[in-house]
Amino acid sequence: MKILYAIQGTGNGHLSRAMDVAPALEKHGQVDYMVSGAQADLALPFEVKYKSSGLSFYFGQKGGIDISKTFNNNSSKRVLKEIKDLPIEDYDVIINDFEPISAWAARTKGKRVVALSHQSALLSKKCPKPKSADLIGQSILKNYAPASVHYGFHFDAFDKNIFTPIVRRSIREKVNLDYGHYTVYLPAYSDEKIIKTLSKIKGVDWHVFSKHTKSSYWQDNVKIEKVNNDKFVHAITSAKGILCGAGFETPSEAIFLGKKLMVIPMKGQYEQQCNAAALKAMGIPVIKKLGKKRIEKIQDWVDNDQKTSIDYRDETQQIVDTIIEHECKSQ
């Protein structure tokens, strides 16, 4: 069996999940890998056969997406050529983690696509949603990487075909400690903005992993460090608390580890607004944005020891086996 596993490469969450999904898929046949997107910091432990800039969103430094850079760096001519040239017909099974090139190549050539992503879960009406409707955000989730069937991951199994998070093996196998520091990952904010806010909260060390720096340095009680996977894993598994965006993987890992967690959803990012709604329902504090008006809330969170802990089971192989078995019957 020939399997194409196509992965969204914008950010690190999809790639970190792929590290555990890949060996489970390889038990079922020959797997070729495709990664599209930008701004990822993880090195994959397998050869990537197809690489693409895809349809990438670029992080800004004011809490949201850099619209200008996103528009300028995405060429419609390039995207259409990549969709046409991808030999999607060579594969028996196509597993897609929110990757648009392979999804649209399959759509245009009549091939079946299996979506296996967090975004797939958000299509369910049973999953928590923000109070204000976002028709554009909902349309992006549905049409960015269209699929024939959806399997999703979320903080809870809200619906059929929705599984609890895949917590990567590097987190599961690490000793869970508390060195007293707070680990921060807010890639949509500038280092200056983060330092200006968090330095006002004394008595704790903030370890910030940044996409905007080339070297490590301390300023007051804030350490700025370039994103590095091994250092990040060590930092979150030894942290007292984690302050991050309302993505999926890092909050999932924080919950699994039983760490204090606070999230700041990215502006204009519907997926993160949905995640924030789910996390808030679980009792996890959510703040709208980073700034001096939120210092008191962050201070309260630091002073409070309330935690949410869920021991997410390792079901990766069972999930992959179920999907492959179903796809074999569908052909």
Side-chain angles (χ1 to χ4, degrees), residues 53-65:
S53 298
L55 289 168
S56 296
F57 295 99
Y58 289 82
F59 296 116
Q61 299 193 42
K62 297 180 179 179
I65 297 293

Side-chain angles (χ1 to χ4, degrees), residues 110-129:
K111 292 283 289 184
R112 183 175 170 86
V113 176
V114 180
L116 182 62
S117 65
H118 171 55
Q119 287 79 7
S120 288
L122 300 180
L123 295 174
S124 170
K125 294 180 180 179
K126 295 183 180 180
C127 291
K129 300 292 192 299

Side-chain angles (χ1 to χ4, degrees), residues 53 57 191 204 224 226 280:
S53 298
F57 295 99
D191 299 344
V204 296
I224 302 293
K226 184 179 178 179
K280 188 174 183 179

Side-chain angles (χ1 to χ4, degrees), residues 203-221:
V204 296
D205 288 339
W206 299 96
H207 289 195
V208 179
F209 285 84
S210 168
K211 283 183 170 291
H212 312 295
T213 188
K214 295 183 179 180
S215 59
S216 300
Y217 62 93
W218 280 90
Q219 187 166 328
D220 297 323
N221 58 332

Side-chain angles (χ1 to χ4, degrees), residues 70 115 125 150-151 219 308:
T70 295
K125 294 180 180 179
H150 289 272
Y151 296 88
Q219 187 166 328
T308 298

Side-chain angles (χ1 to χ4, degrees), residues 20-40:
D20 280 33
V21 172
L25 278 175
E26 288 176 355
K27 292 185 178 180
H28 292 277
Q30 176 190 330
V31 182
D32 288 342
Y33 298 94
M34 176 175 185
V35 176
S36 76
Q39 290 196 298

Side-chain angles (χ1 to χ4, degrees), residues 239-258:
K240 189 176 190 66
I242 298 170
L243 174 64
C244 61
F248 182 61
E249 274 67 32
T250 299
S252 297
E253 291 168 353
I255 292 168
F256 172 77
L257 293 167

Side-chain angles (χ1 to χ4, degrees), residues 3-179:
I3 301 169
L4 177 66
Y5 183 21
I7 309 153
Q8 171 63 247
T10 299
N12 299 316
H14 305 267
L15 297 178
S16 66
R17 178 166 55 244
M19 292 182 185
D20 280 33
V21 172
L25 278 175
E26 288 176 355
K27 292 185 178 180
H28 292 277
Q30 176 190 330
V31 182
D32 288 342
Y33 298 94
M34 176 175 185
V35 176
S36 76
Q39 290 196 298
D41 304 287
L42 299 183
L44 294 172
F46 45 76
E47 180 182 354
V48 178
K49 185 169 185 177
Y50 308 104
K51 296 180 182 179
S52 165
S53 298
L55 289 168
S56 296
F57 295 99
Y58 289 82
F59 296 116
Q61 299 193 42
K62 297 180 179 179
I65 297 293
D66 186 326
I67 300 298
S68 176
K69 191 173 182 180
T70 295
F71 179 79
N72 291 332
N73 287 13
N74 283 300
S75 164
S76 58
K77 184 181 292 187
R78 171 188 56 78
V79 169
L80 290 172
K81 185 178 187 304
E82 289 179 352
I83 289 172
K84 181 181 178 181
D85 291 346
L86 184 67
I88 202 79
E89 61 276 4
D90 292 349
Y91 296 94
D92 302 303
V93 176
I94 302 156
I95 306 293
N96 184 290
D97 190 341
F98 209 55
E99 195 291 305
I101 303 298
S102 62
W104 281 101
R107 170 68 67 90
T108 58
K109 297 178 183 179
K111 292 283 289 184
R112 183 175 170 86
V113 176
V114 180
L116 182 62
S117 65
H118 171 55
Q119 287 79 7
S120 288
L122 300 180
L123 295 174
S124 170
K125 294 180 180 179
K126 295 183 180 180
C127 291
K129 300 292 192 299
K131 292 181 180 179
S132 57
D134 183 346
L135 297 179
I136 294 176
Q138 292 172 10
S139 179
I140 290 173
L141 281 180
K142 185 177 180 179
N143 298 303
Y144 179 83
S148 310
V149 61
H150 289 272
Y151 296 88
F153 300 100
H154 214 319
F155 302 119
D156 199 357
F158 295 107
D159 201 350
K160 64 178 182 179
N161 285 3
I162 295 180
F163 309 102
T164 52
I166 290 178
V167 177
R168 49 185 164 156
R169 196 168 299 123
S170 58
I171 296 291
R172 289 185 179 275
E173 295 175 352
K174 198 81 170 176
V175 178
N176 193 4
L177 302 168
D178 180 356
Y179 288 168

